[in-house]
Amino acid sequence: MSVETRAEPLQGPSGNRAEPLHVVLRRLVAAVDAEQALPAYLHAAGASQIVADRLQGTVVRPRLLAAAGTAARGRTGLAAWHVLLRDLTVVLAEAAVSGTEQETIAILLSVRSTIDGLRRGMSGLAARWHSGALIRLPTGFEKHGLGPQDALALADGFAGLRPDRDRPLLVLGLRSSGAYLAPLVAAALGRLDYRHVVTRTTRAGGPLLPEEPGLPEAVRRVGGLVLPVGAPPRTGSSLATVVATLAGIGFAAGRILPVYPALDEGDRPPVMLHGHTVVALPASRWAHRKGRDEG
């Protein structure tokens, strides 16, 4: 597969563009080669959430995967892609929130060997599982202009509420926007010296982490916290759904802290999140709005 010499950020609905997975992977590789941390991160996060959707919710189509053995092999390959892209997203999130250009470049250099396999793109059964999948940049990033500085601000807000750096944290992004924001928040928490941070993604209303069912329970047993991270909410229904799922498996309310950029000043959570401690970034403090107001 040829690699483009320049990577462009994903275009959202306003640009009427959605990219198939193989194009997103090509742009991801090009962004790393060009030392463009944020575009590389956005493409990795997009690819990761599409693979997670297929892995967690795919219905086997007989036309493509007629035999059960073939389906099993396909899912095994899909799981490997999921882990690769998920871990790559985590590392690129660290580059995106890095404090210095030197550190950013060092992180990008460290993933060069990891992306060598991506240069050839997906092949065989794994590619079939993604037939027809298109990726758009979520509204939170494309329309609202959210970015790494907002994730840093959200991490600061959390630190003000829960300063214990040794308590395990599961940062759980709600796909699709949360899948882009959660790894950035997790990386920002790492920069604040939180020592035990794990980030994963899920879909509201679906199984929590079907490929790792024991992870939430492990976090619960050791007294950890869960941070469901979502898009700027209007009703809070998606966040509330995940909060209810976490409560249903034994998490006390005080150990679930929804995290989100608020569409208003964030002094009152959406009605469906009333009664919960939330970490909300007021709209006036979003980085691009704050910079415009101060300019």
Side-chain angles (χ1 to χ4, degrees):
M1 174 181 290
S2 62
V3 178
E4 296 183 5
T5 58
R6 180 177 178 83
E8 299 176 358
L10 290 169
Q11 298 295 313
S14 66
N16 197 31
R17 284 182 59 186
E19 305 281 15
L21 182 60
H22 73 276
V23 172
V24 173
L25 293 177
R26 187 169 70 240
R27 293 181 183 276
L28 163 59
V29 170
V32 173
D33 288 343
E35 297 179 349
Q36 298 174 332
L38 184 56
Y41 169 75
L42 291 173
H43 287 88
S48 179
Q49 64 102 359
I50 283 293
V51 174
D53 275 343
R54 286 295 196 266
L55 180 64
Q56 294 180 357
T58 297
V59 175
V60 177
R61 290 175 288 175
R63 182 174 61 85
L64 293 179
L65 302 171
T70 302
R73 291 194 300 274
R75 288 188 67 83
T76 299
L78 197 62
W81 272 95
H82 179 224
V83 172
L84 170 65
L85 289 169
R86 183 190 71 201
D87 292 349
L88 181 59
T89 299
V90 169
V91 175
L92 290 173
E94 294 175 359
V97 302
S98 170
T100 67
E101 182 179 359
Q102 182 178 8
E103 182 182 3
T104 297
I105 292 174
I107 295 172
L108 291 173
L109 286 174
S110 74
V111 303
R112 287 285 179 84
S113 60
T114 302
I115 66 169
D116 281 345
L118 301 181
R119 296 179 189 279
R120 296 184 294 274
M122 304 185 83
S123 60
L125 292 174
R128 293 184 183 182
W129 281 80
H130 293 85
S131 175
L134 296 176
I135 306 171
R136 293 181 186 273
L137 190 64
T139 300
F141 286 79
E142 192 273 335
K143 180 179 178 181
H144 296 308
L146 295 170
Q149 292 301 317
D150 302 298
L152 289 164
L154 285 165
D156 283 336
F158 172 81
L161 294 172
R162 298 290 190 270
D164 183 358
R165 263 55 176 178
D166 288 317
R167 199 166 193 178
L169 306 176
L170 173 58
V171 182
L172 190 61
L174 278 61
R175 298 195 296 271
S176 62
S177 288
Y180 290 79
L181 189 56
L184 293 174
V185 172
L189 289 168
R191 294 192 65 81
L192 293 177
D193 295 325
Y194 284 88
R195 297 174 182 87
H196 309 289
V197 183
V198 176
T199 183
R200 295 291 189 268
T201 68
T202 190
R203 282 276 181 194
L208 196 59
L209 291 174
E211 74 281 8
E212 295 179 279
L215 178 58
E217 173 60 18
V219 173
R220 189 193 66 81
R221 284 201 313 269
V222 297
L225 307 178
V226 183
L227 284 63
V229 180
R234 296 189 181 278
T235 66
S237 60
S238 293
L239 283 165
T241 297
V242 173
V243 167
T245 301
L246 290 165
I249 61 175
F251 278 91
R255 290 169 57 190
I256 308 169
L257 284 80
V259 176
Y260 57 86
L263 291 171
D264 51 26
E265 288 313 294
D267 51 348
R268 286 180 59 83
V271 63
M272 297 189 73
L273 294 176
H274 284 180
H276 293 280
T277 299
V278 302
V279 180
L281 180 65
S284 62
R285 290 184 54 204
W286 295 3
H288 79 286
R289 292 187 180 183
K290 184 179 179 182
R292 181 181 60 198
D293 293 341
E294 293 177 351

